[in-house]
Amino acid sequence: MAVKKQEDGTWLVDFRGNGKGSKRFRKKFKTKGEALRYMSYVKTKVVQQPDWNPPKKDMRRLSDLIMRWYEIHGKHSKSGESRKSRLLKLAEVSGNPTAENLNAGWFVSLREVRSKDVSANTLNHDRAYLSAMFNELRRVGEWGKENPIKDSRKIKYDERELRYLSKKEIEVLLDKLSESRNKSALLITKVCLATGARWSEAETLRRENVKDGKISFWSTKNGKARHIPIGRELEEEVLSHGGSGRLFRGSYEAFSNAIRKANIELPEGQMTHVLRHTFASHFIMQGGSILTLQRILDHSTITMTMRYAHLSPDHLEEAKSLNALEVIK
């Protein structure tokens, strides 16, 4: 018997590579075409190399690959722990398939399932994290096949509104924060508005991070330190708060309450991040350089910073004088 249809509808390949007494090959396929192609492939291999054996199936689960990536690379990264948790969630959602089933079709199915609960931006992050994991495993020889995410594309989506606070809203917010029993919340907010820092960066500042008219942010998102100049008044105000070591206590809830009391409505997910947007927006509106802003915010690409370019006083001003209506005047 070489190729025979089974009762369950599958096709069984069963033959000896070089005739009687040689190695026997058996494998099932869904279609007769697949079975015949496999038999032809094996016969060619055996002719070229008589002791050839088909590669064994990789029975590792996706979660096994994730943990291997974590041991090799992830645990040495600042975001490794959170990245591992997210990847394991993706493994769970996709049924934790074996390595043999990790292909382009698997990723398409995973993204289809995820799209019911998360945004396009989150789906693109899923893609980036999985692709980076497979690339790292390939680099160290732990993954021999192609990266299954390699040919996938990012999902295009409309940019979210980058809400920023007006001068009046800033004044009202600071007034409400000054009434809070949590005095750290007001100072953290001021630091964010003065430097463009993320809330977590400002909230975890230590006394030694503030000196000589600058604030040094060491615990940053990408691990790169930033040193941002501040006014003398803010420096004195910050240093007069608290004792040695960490300057501020946890203040997210106090900030959220102040936003509510100030009747400020924000898009979902921009509660404290609105302060970073506010810094960037007013910086550009007052004539600040987009390249300087990129360095202050520590954006990895200028594309991220260009989201604020339209706020520049002379942004696309030529449109007023060089448009088609002006031509006929």
Side-chain angles (χ1 to χ4, degrees):
M1 177 180 69
V3 176
K4 183 176 181 181
K5 190 172 186 179
Q6 304 298 291
E7 292 183 1
D8 61 0
T10 60
W11 291 83
L12 175 66
V13 175
D14 188 356
F15 71 103
R16 294 188 181 276
N18 278 326
K20 188 175 181 180
S22 62
K23 181 175 175 58
R24 186 178 184 183
F25 296 90
R26 288 171 56 90
K27 191 173 182 179
K28 280 188 177 183
F29 295 89
K30 290 183 179 180
T31 67
K32 184 177 182 180
E34 290 176 310
L36 291 171
R37 284 193 293 273
Y38 173 75
M39 185 171 68
S40 176
Y41 167 74
V42 171
K43 285 184 176 181
T44 301
K45 284 290 186 181
V46 170
V47 169
Q48 296 172 344
Q49 186 179 343
D51 59 348
W52 178 84
N53 286 306
K56 293 181 179 180
K57 284 186 177 182
D58 188 345
M59 299 308 294
R60 292 177 297 174
R61 295 282 177 179
L62 176 55
S63 58
D64 298 325
L65 294 170
I66 293 168
M67 294 308 299
R68 186 62 182 146
W69 163 84
Y70 179 75
E71 288 300 319
I72 294 170
H73 178 75
K75 68 181 181 182
H76 305 296
S77 169
K78 183 175 181 180
S79 60
E81 195 65 39
S82 61
R83 185 76 60 87
K84 179 185 72 172
S85 297
R86 183 162 180 167
L87 288 169
L88 288 173
K89 176 64 177 179
L90 296 179
E92 179 184 348
V93 170
S94 62
N96 201 19
T98 62
E100 290 292 315
N101 294 308
L102 295 174
N103 49 38
W106 155 75
F107 180 67
V108 170
S109 298
L110 169 62
R111 191 153 64 177
E112 185 177 354
V113 172
R114 288 276 284 168
S115 66
K116 298 174 183 177
D117 301 309
V118 301
S119 67
N121 188 38
T122 300
L123 292 175
N124 286 339
H125 278 99
D126 290 348
R127 173 185 175 276
Y129 296 159
L130 284 166
S131 184
M133 181 193 77
F134 282 110
N135 283 340
E136 183 62 27
L137 291 175
R138 272 180 60 84
R139 188 184 69 81
V140 297
E142 292 281 343
W143 181 256
K145 298 187 294 183
E146 284 290 331
N147 184 336
I149 319 297
K150 180 172 67 72
D151 295 326
S152 65
R153 295 182 179 180
K154 287 184 177 181
I155 297 175
K156 293 184 178 180
Y157 59 92
D158 294 334
E159 290 186 3
R160 291 193 309 166
E161 173 194 1
L162 294 182
R163 173 79 156 88
Y164 66 88
L165 304 179
S166 66
K167 292 180 181 180
K168 181 62 177 177
E169 286 176 322
I170 294 173
E171 292 172 356
V172 174
L173 175 60
L174 293 179
D175 283 342
K176 296 301 179 183
L177 285 166
S178 65
E179 298 171 0
S180 173
R181 289 181 295 179
N182 185 335
K183 301 306 177 185
S184 291
L186 174 61
L187 287 175
I188 295 170
T189 300
K190 286 185 175 183
V191 168
C192 290
L193 290 172
T195 65
R198 299 175 180 86
W199 183 268
S200 60
E201 294 171 343
E203 191 176 47
T204 55
L205 275 177
R206 300 179 63 82
R207 178 167 295 276
E208 58 267 27
N209 302 147
V210 185
K211 60 182 178 181
D212 301 328
K214 292 182 181 179
I215 292 183
S216 296
F217 298 102
W218 296 97
S219 300
T220 62
K221 185 176 181 179
N222 63 9
K224 296 180 181 179
R226 301 198 309 280
H227 311 281
I228 311 299
I230 58 171
R232 182 175 179 180
E233 182 180 343
L234 179 58
E235 180 179 11
E236 292 177 350
E237 191 175 1
V238 169
L239 290 176
S240 66
H241 179 82
S244 60
R246 183 166 165 171
L247 287 166
F248 308 125
R249 53 185 286 203
S251 305
Y252 180 87
E253 185 176 350
F255 178 80
S256 300
N257 289 336
I259 286 286
R260 178 176 51 79
K261 292 177 180 178
N263 294 317
I264 295 174
E265 295 185 5
L266 300 173
E268 184 178 354
Q270 293 189 32
M271 177 57 71
T272 57
H273 215 61
V274 71
L275 300 177
R276 186 166 163 88
H277 296 322
T278 298
F279 167 85
S281 299
H282 285 281
F283 181 90
I284 292 298
M285 285 190 289
Q286 295 180 85
S289 161
I290 198 76
L291 292 176
T292 300
L293 180 61
Q294 181 190 6
R295 292 196 296 271
I296 293 173
L297 298 181
D298 199 26
H299 284 160
S300 57
T301 66
I302 192 65
T303 303
M304 297 179 69
T305 322
M306 287 300 293
R307 296 179 299 173
Y308 302 102
H310 69 284
L311 297 170
S312 175
D314 59 352
H315 180 69
L316 303 183
E317 276 294 299
E318 292 92 341
K320 291 196 298 188
S321 58
L322 302 179
N323 66 70
L325 284 178
E326 290 296 321
V327 172
I328 62 175
K329 287 183 179 180

